[in-house]
Amino acid sequence: MLAWNFFPFLASLASAGIGKRAVQTDVSIYAYGVGINGFLVYADSSSAAVIADNATALANNLQNITWTIDPKGLLPWNVTSTNSSSTGQFYIVPTSTEHQAAGFNTTAPPTGAETVGFVIYGSTVEYATETTYESRFYAQNSSTGVWSLVWNSDSETLDNGVPVVLKTVAPPPRPNFD
Ligand SMILES: *[C@@H]1O[C@H](CO)[C@@H](O)[C@H](O)[C@H]1NC(C)=O
Ligand SMILES: *[C@@H]1O[C@H](CO)[C@@H](O)[C@H](O)[C@H]1NC(C)=O
Ligand SMILES: *[C@@H]1O[C@H](CO)[C@@H](O)[C@H](O)[C@H]1NC(C)=O
Ligand SMILES: *[C@@H]1O[C@H](CO)[C@@H](O)[C@H](O)[C@H]1NC(C)=O
Ligand SMILES: *[C@@H]1O[C@H](CO)[C@@H](O)[C@H](O)[C@H]1NC(C)=O
Ligand SMILES: *[C@@H]1O[C@H](CO)[C@@H](O)[C@H](O)[C@H]1NC(C)=O
């Protein structure tokens, strides 16, 4: 029965999960990497997935989004822009050998886009393939300081790019050392 049976983790999540780890609403997703200290994932005006600190996000009119996710990876993850009713489905393009932008499928998604298979492992977003869980998210900086979220299939070094981990938990407040 499909590939799901190959995953003991997924299988146990699926059986243990009824009611316990069902669909979660009003989720925010944060990116962590070098120079990216738990910044929110936003949508830009082209429905691309981008990452920015608060001030840069405000300066660039990025749209706050809330996520409705299925931690078990069986349903697509939907996002709603907090100041509009427009929704989209989160996608990555894992088929390419190169890095490809991630985004929200509101109109036609790019060829090879996948919207199903995203799981929460601990509090980390991973993508379930037939054999393993993967996190190949990178952030690529731009001249505005807004980072593009990409899926870097071959994990080659990326110009202005750093690996990032996506999590459903916000960064803790900074300790006050004074
Ligand atoms: C982002 O900046 C705005 C405006 O300065 C502020 O009201 C808001 O609290 C900030 N949010 C966070 C999460 O720091
Ligand atoms: C997104 O939401 C957070 C938390 O409410 C807020 O601090 C921040 O300013 C918002 N960012 C934008 C770009 O509206
Ligand atoms: C959401 O709010 C931001 C900031 O006010 C604005 O720039 C953007 O156009 C709005 N998006 C939509 C879809 O209304
Ligand atoms: C996302 O939206 C699709 C299409 O409306 C729906 O089938 C799916 O169940 C939704 N996903 C979640 C996690 O609710
Ligand atoms: C993209 O969105 C459309 C409309 O919601 C949906 O029919 C289609 O299956 C989605 N395709 C992918 C690859 O996400
Ligand atoms: C990202 O790019 C902006 C604009 O060039 C720059 O100011 C910022 O320092 C860069 N961030 C990192 C972590 O390299």
Side-chain angles (χ1 to χ4, degrees):
M1 193 187 78
L2 292 181
W4 303 114
N5 275 354
F6 292 6
F7 308 122
F9 295 121
L10 269 189
S12 63
L13 276 181
S15 54
I18 313 286
K20 197 173 165 209
R21 302 204 56 180
V23 165
Q24 296 172 4
T25 57
D26 289 326
V27 174
S28 291
I29 296 204
Y30 304 84
Y32 296 80
V34 175
I36 299 178
N37 308 314
F39 300 164
L40 277 168
V41 176
Y42 294 92
D44 75 4
S45 56
S46 319
S47 297
V50 295
I51 295 163
D53 64 48
N54 189 33
T56 305
L58 292 168
N60 287 276
N61 283 329
L62 300 182
Q63 296 173 36
N64 256 317
I65 48 178
T66 56
W67 300 64
T68 300
I69 67 171
D70 170 17
K72 294 175 293 194
L74 300 172
L75 301 172
W77 288 12
N78 300 316
V79 299
T80 308
S81 175
T82 47
N83 63 347
S84 85
S85 58
S86 68
T87 59
Q89 290 183 356
F90 181 59
Y91 69 81
I92 61 171
V93 184
T95 52
S96 165
T97 53
E98 286 177 57
H99 62 281
Q100 297 284 329
F104 306 102
N105 169 20
T106 49
T107 52
T111 305
E114 294 289 348
T115 56
V116 172
F118 302 107
V119 299
I120 299 295
Y121 190 62
S123 58
T124 300
V125 177
E126 303 219 344
Y127 176 64
T129 70
E130 290 201 0
T131 52
T132 187
Y133 294 114
E134 290 183 344
S135 175
R136 297 177 185 271
F137 292 110
Y138 276 61
Q140 196 165 28
N141 201 1
S142 71
S143 57
T144 58
V146 174
W147 302 72
S148 295
L149 179 66
V150 304
W151 184 260
N152 192 10
S153 284
D154 58 8
S155 297
E156 285 289 318
T157 307
L158 209 56
D159 284 347
N160 299 313
V162 294
V164 287
V165 173
L166 301 186
K167 288 182 171 289
T168 53
V169 290
R174 272 170 193 274
N176 183 349
F177 293 113
D178 293 339

